[in-house]
């Protein structure tokens, strides 16, 4: 399989992706995930939350419903447009900003930063991915916390499938082809959407970090890792856990 372009993320999150994302995560699933965030991070009314790589706003909107003061940042214009429409429909205020996560310039403005749904590891160089966490650390107030939720590559390896099929609720068929580049530590993936006579192909690339690597990245940015979970259900992180959820805190 050929690899994705270096800047694949600039055009990947379009209407095809959003159709998949909305289809895959119904409102009940999002509400359950946010309930975990509220408890794990002790969120309350007026807690200042930055949802970094907020996508179409499913977590941002639900957190705003809980009274949090939410800012959502994403690079994708289609995602932000859908987030704005959904926030208006829900009757909540979410401040939305288009920005590259490597270039956010917040200075001690947030109590909490969240980065969900494997939205970390997009960039081709490890230094650029580390820069994201450095920007997160700068955005946090003293004692503020960062929650990162991503895949656990150790578990993926044991059940790796090179090809899989999904059918979306509108009848669109998605073929997902995967390749793991051992030397680079990256998953290279090609999504092919087929609906009617149309066939559209999208490629993306993701650097999959293990838990010790994530801990080291957080520490290099001056954050102390307090807790690791194996999912947004609050389970312990184990070798077979599908997800890594990392809670790190800025020194008080």
């Amino acid at each position: 399989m050929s690899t994705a372009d270096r800047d694949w993320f600039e055009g990947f999150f379009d209407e095809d992706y959003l159709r998949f994302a909305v289809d895959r995560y119904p409102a009940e699933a999002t509400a359950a995930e946010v309930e975990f965030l509220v408890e794990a991070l002790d969120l309350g009314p007026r807690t200042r939350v930055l949802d970094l790589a907020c996508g179409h706003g499913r977590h941002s909107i639900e957190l705003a419903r809980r009274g949090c003061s939410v800012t959502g940042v994403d690079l994708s214009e289609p995602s932000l447009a859908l987030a704005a429409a959904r926030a208006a429909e829900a009757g909540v205020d979410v401040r939305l900003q288009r920005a590259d996560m490597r270039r956010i310039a917040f200075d001690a403005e947030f109590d909490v930063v969240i980065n969900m749904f494997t939205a970390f590891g997009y960039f081709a160089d490890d230094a650029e991915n580390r820069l994201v966490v450095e920007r997160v650390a700068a955005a946090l107030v003293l004692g503020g916390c960062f929650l990162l939720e991503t895949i656990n590559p150790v578990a993926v390896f044991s059940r790796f499938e090179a090809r899989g099929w999904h059918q979306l609720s509108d009848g669109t068929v998605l073929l997902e082809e995967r390749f793991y580049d051992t030397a680079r530590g990256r998953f290279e993936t090609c999504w092919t959407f087929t609906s009617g006579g149309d066939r559209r192909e999208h490629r993306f690339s993701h650097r999959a970090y293990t838990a010790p690597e994530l801990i080291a990245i957080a520490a290099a940015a001056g954050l102390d890792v307090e807790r690791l979970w194996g999912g947004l259900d609050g389970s312990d992180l184990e070798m077979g856990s599908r997800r890594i959820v990392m809670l790190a805190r800025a020194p008080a």
Side-chain angles (χ1 to χ4, degrees), residues 11-31:
F12 178 81
F13 300 99
D14 63 1
E15 286 75 12
D16 278 330
Y17 169 81
L18 290 171
R19 189 157 45 248
F20 164 79
V22 170
D23 195 83
R24 181 171 178 177
Y25 287 97
E28 314 84 70
T30 299

Side-chain angles (χ1 to χ4, degrees), residues 152-241:
N152 178 16
V154 175
V156 172
F157 298 149
S158 66
R159 56 173 69 94
F160 184 81
E161 294 181 352
R163 175 176 291 195
W165 298 86
H166 311 273
Q167 184 163 13
L168 307 188
S169 58
D170 66 355
T172 299
V173 175
L174 166 60
L175 168 62
E176 185 172 5
E177 297 173 285
R178 315 172 189 91
F179 167 74
Y180 180 70
D181 187 327
T182 307
R184 297 164 59 232
R186 302 189 72 90
F187 287 99
E188 300 287 345
T189 306
C190 178
W191 282 1
T192 302
F193 292 88
T194 303
S195 56
D198 294 330
R199 184 176 181 273
R200 302 170 302 282
E201 188 177 280
H202 305 268
R203 296 179 183 273
F204 63 96
S205 176
H206 167 243
R207 171 70 160 93
Y209 292 99
T210 63
E213 288 175 319
L214 292 173
I215 292 169
I217 290 170
L223 302 175
D224 300 319
V225 174
E226 290 188 348
R227 184 72 190 270
L228 294 168
W229 293 276
L232 294 171
D233 58 357
S235 58
D236 292 333
L237 177 62
E238 300 175 347
M239 186 174 67
S241 300

Side-chain angles (χ1 to χ4, degrees), residues 9-60:
F9 44 84
E10 292 184 354
F12 178 81
F13 300 99
D14 63 1
E15 286 75 12
D16 278 330
Y17 169 81
L18 290 171
R19 189 157 45 248
F20 164 79
V22 170
D23 195 83
R24 181 171 178 177
Y25 287 97
E28 314 84 70
T30 299
E33 293 176 359
V34 169
E35 187 62 36
F36 170 83
L37 295 177
V38 169
E39 294 183 8
L41 304 175
D42 193 26
L43 303 181
R46 295 179 295 282
T47 300
R48 295 166 298 175
V49 179
L50 170 61
D51 186 355
L52 189 59
C54 66
H56 63 284
R58 66 188 188 94
H59 295 109
S60 294

Side-chain angles (χ1 to χ4, degrees), residues 73-155:
V73 171
D74 204 279
L75 186 61
S76 165
E77 291 182 348
S79 295
L80 290 171
L82 182 55
R86 288 191 150 206
E89 182 181 350
V92 297
D93 180 26
V94 177
R95 289 171 296 283
L96 298 169
Q97 177 179 331
R98 183 174 184 267
D100 186 310
M101 69 178 82
R102 295 166 294 184
R103 300 183 177 91
I104 59 171
F106 302 110
D107 183 14
E109 297 180 42
F110 297 99
D111 305 302
V112 171
V113 177
I114 61 173
N115 181 259
M116 309 288 290
F117 194 42
T118 317
F120 182 72
Y122 286 176
F123 306 114
D125 298 328
D126 284 338
E128 293 180 289
N129 293 316
R130 292 194 297 269
L131 178 60
V132 173
V133 182
E134 292 170 11
R135 294 284 187 257
V136 166
L140 289 169
V141 299
L142 296 178
C145 56
F146 173 44
L147 186 133
L148 172 69
E149 188 257 344
T150 187
I151 65 168
N152 178 16
V154 175

